[in-house]
Amino acid sequence: MDRKVLIVEDDTDISGLIEIHLRDMGFETTVANRGDTGLELALTEAFDFMILDIMLPGKDGLEVCRELRTNKIKTPILMLTARSEEIDKILGLEMGADDYLTKPFSIRELTARVKAILRRTESSSSGSGDSGEVLRYDNLVIDKNKRKVILDSERIELTPKEFDLLALMAGNPGKSYSRENLLSVVWGYEFAGYEHTVNSHINRLRSKIEGDLTKPKFILTSWGVGYRFNDELNKS
């Protein structure tokens, strides 16, 4: 079965070019030229991937991305921006986008990004199914195969990047990761200059799993380095 891709782009020349090349790669494509239309499609239909422009009529791409993640739609998102301001890229990543690409871009680069994101998504969603993929620390359970987190017997909804950050650090308790390490491993690209987006993701992750943000129990700060998962917790 072809994987389904939603392209939300108001420039018909760009959307048409993207559509042609993605179809050549075996994707089934759907195109929307407004943000509100794209949002409605993404909320009502299942897509394997989404290419989302930032500057759109009806509703901008950042708002579309935010609403999708708020509604727990975890479809991988590649954001496009015609503006060079770093704030666009940073906001896109912080709202849950998986990657960004600045216009003008080459189709070769676009398809490489699409393949890389899908590889990471498929790799993280597949697993061996053995019990070693379930991590338990005190009242926190992390099921890496099912990408599920349980805290005090209640499921906690995390974005894909929040889960990846937690699973990585919890799988290596006590190991300190720099922001650059986390960007490289979790995002898969060298986002030079965007280390503070890691801080935003960590802060949101902490707000979901920590009882007291002033005294975090699970994700600790390694001063001068970055972050680490508490290795003094009871593990079962």
Side-chain angles (χ1 to χ4, degrees):
M1 181 181 296
D2 290 344
R3 287 176 293 189
K4 297 177 63 178
V5 178
L6 174 61
I7 304 165
V8 188
E9 167 63 67
D10 62 326
D11 187 316
T12 56
D13 289 335
I14 293 176
S15 63
L17 186 62
I18 294 173
E19 188 175 19
I20 289 171
H21 285 274
L22 290 185
R23 283 182 174 176
D24 287 344
M25 293 169 61
F27 292 105
E28 178 184 336
T29 60
T30 299
V31 177
N33 58 14
R34 292 176 57 89
D36 47 3
T37 305
L39 176 62
E40 182 178 357
L41 284 167
L43 289 173
T44 56
E45 298 184 30
F47 292 95
D48 298 292
F49 195 85
M50 185 173 181
I51 296 176
L52 178 62
D53 190 25
I54 286 184
M55 297 297 292
L56 291 165
K59 192 180 291 285
D60 70 58
L62 293 174
E63 181 64 15
V64 172
C65 183
R66 187 192 66 78
E67 291 196 30
L68 289 176
R69 295 315 188 216
T70 299
N71 282 277
K72 302 181 176 55
I73 303 297
K74 298 179 180 180
T75 305
I77 296 174
L78 173 65
M79 299 204 77
L80 306 178
T81 175
R83 292 183 285 175
S84 60
E85 287 87 346
E86 293 182 355
I87 189 64
D88 282 344
K89 305 166 188 176
I90 294 167
L91 284 175
L93 294 173
E94 291 181 355
M95 288 184 180
D98 294 83
D99 201 353
Y100 69 87
L101 201 54
T102 302
K103 299 176 183 177
F105 53 82
S106 69
I107 287 296
R108 183 176 180 180
E109 183 177 11
L110 173 74
T111 55
R113 296 289 182 99
V114 170
K115 290 177 182 178
I117 294 173
L118 287 175
R119 277 198 305 270
R120 294 201 301 272
T121 303
E122 291 166 358
S123 174
S124 62
S125 62
S126 63
S128 62
D130 59 51
S131 60
E133 293 300 311
V134 179
L135 305 174
R136 294 180 174 86
Y137 296 97
D138 288 350
N139 56 333
L140 180 69
V141 180
I142 305 165
D143 189 324
K144 296 174 71 176
N145 289 328
K146 296 180 179 178
R147 296 182 67 82
K148 181 170 65 175
V149 174
I150 304 294
L151 180 67
D152 291 325
S153 301
E154 293 187 7
R155 182 162 186 167
I156 304 298
E157 294 294 339
L158 302 180
T159 67
K161 287 294 179 285
E162 289 166 356
F163 181 88
D164 291 342
L165 285 167
L166 178 61
L168 174 65
M169 291 189 288
N172 300 276
K175 179 178 179 179
S176 293
Y177 291 89
S178 69
R179 293 161 182 81
E180 293 84 354
N181 291 154
L182 293 172
L183 281 169
S184 178
V185 174
V186 174
W187 276 265
Y189 284 93
E190 299 294 337
F191 287 103
Y194 304 118
E195 291 82 5
H196 44 299
T197 200
V198 173
N199 297 345
S200 297
H201 280 78
I202 291 291
N203 289 340
R204 286 201 302 273
L205 177 57
R206 279 174 166 170
S207 72
K208 295 178 180 181
I209 66 172
E210 302 286 3
D212 184 353
L213 292 178
T214 64
K215 297 179 180 179
K217 172 182 178 181
F218 299 107
I219 299 176
L220 309 180
T221 299
S222 295
W223 297 108
V225 180
Y227 302 98
R228 72 184 187 279
F229 192 87
N230 191 352
D231 59 347
E232 296 182 0
L233 299 172
N234 294 320
K235 183 177 182 180
S236 60

